[in-house]
Amino acid sequence: MHEPLTRLRRSVLFVPASNEKALKKSAALACDAVIFDLEDAVASEEKAEARERLRAFLSGPGRPQCEVVIRINTLSGEWGTEDLLAARAVKPDAILLPKVDGPRDILDAGAALDETDAPRSLSLWAMMETPRSLLNAGPIAELGRDPAARLACLVAGTNDLVKETGIAPGPGRTNLLPWLMQLVLAARAGNLTVLDGVSNDFRELEAFARECAEARGMGFDGKTLIHPAQIASANAAFAPTKEEVEEAKAIVAEFAKPENRFRGVVSLNGRMVERLHLEMAEGLLAKAKQIKEKGE
Ligand code: COA
Ligand code: MG
């Protein structure tokens, strides 16, 4: 399985910027990243107040140590530009753009950040949640190859996709799968991380664990979450298993033998193992190490 060496993004929790209690709680949670939301989780009447609350919170001592992302409103709408400037001022790791339709949306946001002399380390993430975003997934993801474009991560916006297309997701999200798989493919083409959409039924933890396991099998790096109760499942599902770690170590050990030094392919427990498997094993072990270093 593909394991890009990047920041861990197994569990990425949405926290509404309008919810003071949730903001305070966010620093104590074991998620890999937090997305502070100024968009759909905040009512129109509360936009300005939520923006100010978030600014104050992230400038204070309660700011989480994990990766901090801020989802702003669309730049073409009433609040987006002020959101972007406020976000820029509190130095998040990334700004998440909602309702991206095509590469132009990423380029415009990048240009707006360049105008503020934002450091290159400030990334853009893209919500992939409109029909156009899915049709344009290739050209959008291609921007991941250009560091000047800042694009680092694609996020499946499954609730909006359901709304915009009129589909019923179906049991096991059957009807969404082709689009989700397309998104994973696009992300890999652009060297981006890719996160699965949220699961709305936050009390159904068994079904959630299954959905996480499926998402990992589909190639997602992690899952976006709406509730703290979902964090543990996502962290477990998107981490290498003990068996995978053992197998990866065995592959590394096999290729490290002097007699295999110049061999492209070896046999291990009745299976053909190539150097591409060695690369995968090394990636998996690096990820396991990152998780261990996090204290898990
Ligand atoms: N982030 C941080 N803390 C959260 C949280 C979140 N996303 N969701 C719930 N909590 C906190 C609650 O504030 C509560 O804290 P307390 O124990 O100090 O009172 C605790 O976790 C338990 O919450 P619970 O009562 O089970 O849920 P709720 O009814 O308060 O909230 C939701 C349910 C769905 C409204 C809430 O989880 C939420 O707003 N999620 C994020 C929604 C969002 O951002 N959507 C946009 C992207 S899809
Ligand atoms: Mg949305």
Side-chain angles (χ1 to χ4, degrees):
M1 199 167 285
H2 173 94
E3 302 288 348
L5 182 54
T6 174
R7 293 188 77 153
L8 287 174
R9 291 182 183 138
R10 298 165 299 167
S11 52
V12 178
L13 178 68
F14 277 104
V15 179
S18 49
N19 183 340
E20 185 82 49
K21 242 171 128 181
L23 288 180
K24 287 215 173 97
K25 200 157 188 161
S26 63
L29 300 172
C31 46
D32 289 335
V34 172
I35 300 171
F36 294 103
D37 191 21
L38 295 169
E39 201 224 9
D40 281 351
V42 177
S44 305
E45 302 74 34
E46 291 183 36
K47 294 288 186 191
E49 195 188 332
R51 190 191 297 129
E52 181 48 35
R53 176 177 289 130
L54 182 61
R55 198 199 55 71
F57 173 72
L58 289 178
S59 310
R63 179 179 174 129
Q65 297 298 307
C66 67
E67 189 168 29
V68 168
V69 183
I70 298 176
R71 184 165 76 172
I72 64 172
N73 288 281
T74 53
L75 288 177
S76 56
E78 190 182 336
W79 308 289
T81 303
E82 268 190 79
D83 287 353
L84 181 119
L85 294 174
R88 157 80 179 96
V90 293
K91 301 185 168 68
D93 296 287
I95 290 176
L96 172 57
L97 304 173
K99 300 182 175 68
V100 165
D101 277 329
R104 174 54 42 203
D105 295 310
I106 313 288
L107 295 170
D108 285 350
L113 285 178
D114 290 346
E115 265 180 42
T116 71
D117 284 325
R120 204 40 81 69
S121 58
L122 173 48
S123 304
L124 290 170
W125 291 16
M127 289 299 306
M128 303 291 280
E129 56 186 347
T130 69
R132 291 179 72 196
S133 72
L134 267 286
L135 290 173
N136 290 327
I140 292 170
E142 199 61 25
L143 292 176
R145 300 191 161 271
D146 176 5
R150 301 175 186 271
L151 187 62
C153 181
L154 302 181
V155 181
T158 38
N159 280 329
D160 270 283
L161 267 176
V162 166
K163 169 176 172 268
E164 294 302 316
T165 57
I167 66 158
R173 304 196 295 171
T174 321
N175 295 333
L176 275 169
L177 296 182
W179 298 332
L180 293 174
M181 293 308 299
Q182 199 59 23
L183 210 51
V184 172
L185 189 67
R188 296 300 167 233
N191 272 338
L192 301 164
T193 48
V194 59
L195 306 177
D196 192 10
V198 300
S199 177
N200 300 332
D201 305 318
F202 61 87
R203 306 264 184 241
E204 309 284 337
L205 291 177
E206 269 178 39
F208 182 72
R210 270 199 305 279
E211 197 166 292
C212 287
E214 283 161 11
R216 189 191 173 207
M218 290 158 69
F220 283 101
D221 297 297
K223 195 153 170 75
T224 46
L225 315 175
I226 52 164
H227 194 281
Q230 297 177 321
I231 294 171
S233 272
N235 280 349
F238 293 98
T241 63
K242 270 201 187 94
E243 294 73 32
E244 286 171 324
V245 169
E246 288 316 309
E247 195 192 351
K249 283 182 178 165
I251 291 172
V252 170
E254 194 62 30
F255 274 109
K257 288 181 182 166
E259 65 268 30
N260 290 335
R261 212 169 131 212
F262 299 111
R263 293 186 66 185
V265 56
V266 296
S267 150
L268 182 65
N269 302 326
R271 273 182 54 214
M272 174 186 80
V273 180
E274 295 177 289
R275 289 210 173 252
L276 68 93
H277 298 113
L278 175 62
E279 273 178 47
M280 289 163 76
E282 286 166 345
L284 187 134
L285 291 175
K287 186 171 194 175
K289 185 165 168 249
Q290 271 183 302
I291 293 169
K292 207 166 173 191
E293 281 167 2
K294 237 194 123 191
E296 281 175 36

